[in-house]
Amino acid sequence: MKSLMDDIIKYEPWDEKEAAEINEIQKGILAISQKEEPFDVFICYKETDAAGRRTQDSVLAQDLYYQLKNEGLRVFFSRITLEDKLGTAYEPYIFAALNSAKVMVVLGTRPEYFNAVWVKNEWSRFLTISNTSNGEKILIPAYRDMDPYNLPTEFSHLQAQDMSKLGFMQDLIRGIKKIVKKNEVRATPP
């Protein structure tokens, strides 16, 4: 009877050529990401629906983007931030933004939008970074027109924000500014 280990050894997927290719891709991502300006806030959302139409989430995210920009914050909002990067790989820019942002706002109006492949990819990567940041990186879930109990279970320990509540935008912006300012104070030498 063959063992599982025999199968793994026999069908090892990595060869030296593939490893070298992956290494070159990683070097390229790192080179581009190191040139990017850091962000204060990363807005994570679903851009288009199954039919390719713009989602309500995208419109809400753009409103948030302009509000935060008006407050002087550096905001990663893919619809605008990446618009001059057409024809290039987006991953280095997303990687840089995820690593530099102090706050991520994940917003959505449907449970399936929070769990869409690229949306989940971004927030789960940021959540991993946040969990090892000693409180210096914060993920804020924001929902509208849905039950908060339908948010991803990974958010259950986080304080989610209801975008339909009066004063939501002002409260969110004030909270984000406090987080960003706190981190800037920590980063400034005495």
Side-chain angles (χ1 to χ4, degrees), residues 53-77:
R53 295 178 303 244
R54 189 172 184 199
T55 63
Q56 179 184 6
D57 299 20
S58 174
V59 175
L60 293 167
Q62 189 162 344
D63 289 344
L64 177 59
Y65 168 79
Y66 285 120
Q67 293 277 342
L68 292 170
K69 291 291 284 183
N70 285 340
E71 294 292 329
L73 295 166
R74 297 169 307 228
V75 183
F76 181 91
F77 172 60

Side-chain angles (χ1 to χ4, degrees), residues 9 36 188 190:
I9 291 169
E36 291 299 298
T188 306

Side-chain angles (χ1 to χ4, degrees), residues 9-156:
I9 291 169
K10 184 177 177 184
Y11 297 107
E12 185 175 307
W14 302 105
D15 64 17
E16 287 184 33
K17 182 181 176 193
E18 287 174 322
E21 289 172 6
I22 290 168
N23 189 41
E24 286 305 307
I25 292 168
Q26 288 175 331
K27 282 181 184 176
I29 289 172
L30 194 57
I32 291 171
S33 69
Q34 288 175 337
K35 294 176 188 172
E36 291 299 298
E37 290 293 318
F39 291 94
D40 297 314
V41 181
F42 188 113
I43 301 174
C44 180
Y45 66 99
K46 177 94 168 112
E47 177 65 32
T48 56
D49 64 15
R53 295 178 303 244
R54 189 172 184 199
T55 63
Q56 179 184 6
D57 299 20
S58 174
V59 175
L60 293 167
Q62 189 162 344
D63 289 344
L64 177 59
Y65 168 79
Y66 285 120
Q67 293 277 342
L68 292 170
K69 291 291 284 183
N70 285 340
E71 294 292 329
L73 295 166
R74 297 169 307 228
V75 183
F76 181 91
F77 172 60
S78 61
R79 180 179 187 81
I80 293 175
T81 308
L82 297 176
E83 71 185 349
D84 65 342
K85 310 280 190 271
L86 289 175
T88 64
Y90 292 148
E91 178 53 31
Y93 304 101
I94 293 170
F95 175 83
L98 288 170
N99 282 291
S100 67
K102 297 164 188 73
V103 177
M104 173 183 271
V105 177
V106 184
L107 63 84
T109 57
R110 297 182 181 184
E112 61 268 24
Y113 287 177
F114 281 99
N115 289 305
V117 173
W118 286 107
V119 175
K120 187 170 183 173
N121 174 286
E122 290 173 355
W123 65 250
S124 63
R125 288 165 63 189
F126 189 85
L127 197 54
T128 299
I129 296 165
S130 172
N131 289 337
T132 60
S133 74
N134 294 321
E136 293 192 13
K137 291 184 175 280
I138 306 294
L139 187 143
I140 303 169
Y143 64 92
R144 182 178 183 150
D145 303 330
M146 60 178 273
D147 188 329
Y149 291 104
N150 290 330
L151 289 168
T153 57
E154 294 89 342
F155 297 169
S156 63

